[in-house]
């Protein structure tokens, strides 16, 4: 008997054809971007609304096409009899490129030169910095943090990872420390990169006290989740000259409110949560997402353990 599969994720005609070709004999595939019910589907590929998951009596597995799982893990109600897996491993490459681009953009004063270009001004825009030899604190050492460390290794940085527990030293990190050591680490960092998921443990981790403990010329980059810090608090800290600037792809409220002072700050680079976009943006990332999805679907049909299983209690 065929497995009933509903695909709610964004899906090109080429991808639909691939899924039908690979799984048409074993799965009854339905494609619906905005379903009102998951019906009798056993498997859902995508990110259906929580209420649909709660009401789906036949559902046994949700395979996400995102890495972040907080739409399910940050609220109660995800059914215990439903497995949740994500697409971790698809986004580290493209997001880490964003991180490096953001750091170098701010370090080399590219925004100022862009403004000068508009007015045909040929002169130095002021002091520039090099990333060579800088101490970079990477909050999170998973796929995203690991890829950031890999990209940084070409700049001979001292890259320190921060995570829940020490364990084995991952590749490309000079050392790994734990969250309870964060207060001692922040004052030493030239750059702090947020690569953390949204969990009770990480929400508000960069408090005002901790932001103010950083070097005055330190740069903050956040590409994990906006709940890592308050954007209002960050704006106050930046206004007081406590940091050299920030690169933000995420915010605690998205879209960032028009009233936020961050919009008008020249030392802040803002993007609308696009650093890891695959669908409609980067074909390579999109391909990686579907490779993860199809590999897991194959394993499910063969009765093998799935990859990227999410611990609902941990939040990732």
């Amino acid at each position: 008997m065929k497995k009933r599969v509903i695909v709610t994720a964004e899906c090109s005609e080429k991808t639909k054809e691939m899924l039908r070709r690979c799984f048409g004999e074993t799965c009854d595939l339905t494609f619906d971007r905005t379903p009102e019910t998951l019906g009798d589907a056993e498997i859902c590929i995508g990110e259906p609304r929580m209420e649909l998951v709660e009401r789906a009596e036949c559902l046994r597995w949700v395979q996400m096409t995102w890495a972040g799982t907080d739409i399910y893990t940050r609220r109660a109600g995800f059914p215990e009899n439903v497995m949740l897996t994500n697409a971790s491993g698809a986004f580290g490459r493209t997001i880490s490129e964003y991180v490096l681009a953001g750091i170098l953009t701010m370090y080399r004063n590219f925004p100022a030169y862009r403004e000068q270009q508009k007015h045909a001004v040929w002169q130095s825009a002021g002091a520039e910095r090099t990333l060579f030899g800088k101490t970079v604190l990477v909050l999170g050492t998973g796929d995203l943090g690991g890829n950031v460390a890999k990209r940084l290794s070409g700049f001979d940085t001292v890259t320190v990872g921060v995570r829940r527990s020490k364990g084995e030293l991952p590749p490309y990190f000079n050392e790994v420390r734990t969250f309870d050591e964060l207060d001692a680490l922040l004052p030493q960092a030239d750059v702090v990169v947020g690569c953390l998921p949204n969990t009770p443990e990480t929400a508000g981790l960069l408090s005002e006290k901790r932001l103010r403990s950083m070097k005055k010329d330190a740069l903050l980059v956040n590409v994990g989740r906006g709940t890592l810090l308050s954007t209002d608090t960050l704006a106050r800290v930046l206004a007081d000259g406590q940091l050299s600037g920030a690169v933000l792809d995420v915010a605690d409220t998205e879209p960032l409110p028009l009233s936020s002072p961050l919009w008008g700050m020249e030392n802040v680079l803002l993007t609308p949560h696009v650093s890891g976009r695959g669908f409609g943006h980067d074909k390579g990332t999109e391909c990686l997402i579907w490779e993860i999805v199809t590999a897991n679907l194959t394993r499910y049909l063969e009765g093998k353990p799935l990859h990227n299983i999410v611990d609902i209690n941990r939040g990732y």
Side-chain angles (χ1 to χ4, degrees):
M1 185 175 179
K2 288 186 176 183
K3 300 287 187 183
R4 295 295 302 272
V5 180
I6 184 169
V7 181
T8 65
E10 187 174 342
C11 205
S12 67
E13 289 303 318
K14 183 178 179 180
T15 299
K16 290 178 183 178
E17 181 183 341
M18 177 273 293
L19 291 172
R20 291 190 183 104
R21 185 176 63 253
C22 294
F23 302 104
E25 293 185 3
T26 53
C27 297
D28 182 359
L29 294 158
T30 299
F31 300 91
D32 190 345
R33 292 279 289 120
T34 57
E36 290 304 315
T37 174
L38 299 182
D40 60 354
E42 179 179 337
I43 302 164
C44 179
I45 298 173
E47 292 73 32
R49 302 193 309 274
M50 176 71 100
E51 55 266 30
L52 298 185
V53 175
E54 292 173 320
R55 295 201 306 261
E57 296 181 1
C58 298
L59 189 66
R60 294 297 175 265
W61 172 37
V62 174
Q63 168 65 60
M64 301 181 69
T65 59
W66 305 347
T69 61
D70 47 318
I71 61 168
Y72 301 125
T73 57
R74 287 289 283 151
R75 52 183 288 196
F78 196 87
E80 293 184 0
N81 64 333
V82 178
M83 285 188 297
L84 179 65
T85 57
N86 65 7
S88 177
F91 304 96
R93 181 177 64 193
T94 184
I95 297 179
S96 62
E97 288 182 6
Y98 173 99
V99 170
L100 265 294
I103 294 172
L104 295 174
T105 292
M106 303 302 278
Y107 263 37
R108 303 310 295 263
N109 283 345
F110 287 157
Y113 286 113
R114 184 65 175 175
E115 283 301 308
Q116 288 188 175
Q117 181 181 335
K118 294 177 183 178
H119 305 287
V121 174
W122 185 275
Q123 66 181 32
S124 172
E128 297 180 7
R129 291 180 284 176
T130 176
L131 187 52
F132 177 84
K134 293 293 190 295
T135 297
V136 182
L137 202 62
V138 181
L139 309 181
T141 62
D143 173 59
L144 176 50
N147 270 277
V148 169
K150 182 177 181 179
R151 304 292 178 266
L152 287 169
S153 65
F155 294 85
D156 293 322
T157 59
V158 178
T159 306
V160 181
V162 184
R163 63 186 184 190
R164 293 175 71 251
S165 57
K166 278 191 178 179
E168 187 177 342
L169 182 68
Y172 304 107
F173 285 96
N174 294 93
E175 59 179 304
V176 168
R177 309 288 282 275
T178 55
F179 287 148
D180 57 8
E181 300 175 88
L182 189 58
D183 289 331
L185 295 169
L186 285 170
Q188 304 172 32
D190 298 296
V191 182
V192 175
V193 184
C195 300
L196 292 167
N198 178 15
T199 70
E201 190 174 17
T202 63
L205 188 68
L206 290 186
S207 63
E208 181 165 356
K209 180 180 179 181
R210 282 175 167 163
L211 289 172
R212 292 185 182 278
S213 74
M214 293 167 60
K215 293 180 179 181
K216 286 187 178 294
D217 64 349
L219 178 67
L220 173 67
V221 182
N222 192 15
V223 290
R225 281 295 184 264
T227 50
L228 180 68
L229 72 159
S230 161
T231 49
D232 288 341
T233 298
L234 176 61
R236 286 197 303 271
V237 171
L238 288 167
D240 290 343
Q242 291 294 116
L243 299 173
S244 69
V247 178
L248 305 174
D249 185 51
V250 291
D252 52 355
T253 301
E254 295 182 2
L256 184 67
L258 294 176
S259 59
S260 173
L262 294 175
W263 288 110
M265 292 185 168
E266 294 184 359
N267 59 343
V268 175
L269 178 60
L270 295 170
T271 54
H273 208 146
V274 295
S275 63
R277 290 290 295 275
F279 298 129
H281 288 252
D282 178 56
K283 288 296 183 182
T285 301
E286 188 172 343
C287 287
L288 287 173
I289 293 169
W290 287 112
E291 284 177 11
I292 291 168
V293 171
T294 55
N296 247 2
L297 183 53
T298 299
R299 297 182 70 85
Y300 185 91
L301 295 171
E302 294 176 350
K304 296 178 179 179
L306 301 184
H307 295 308
N308 290 357
I309 294 177
V310 175
D311 185 323
I312 296 295
N313 295 320
R314 282 190 175 185
Y316 56 91

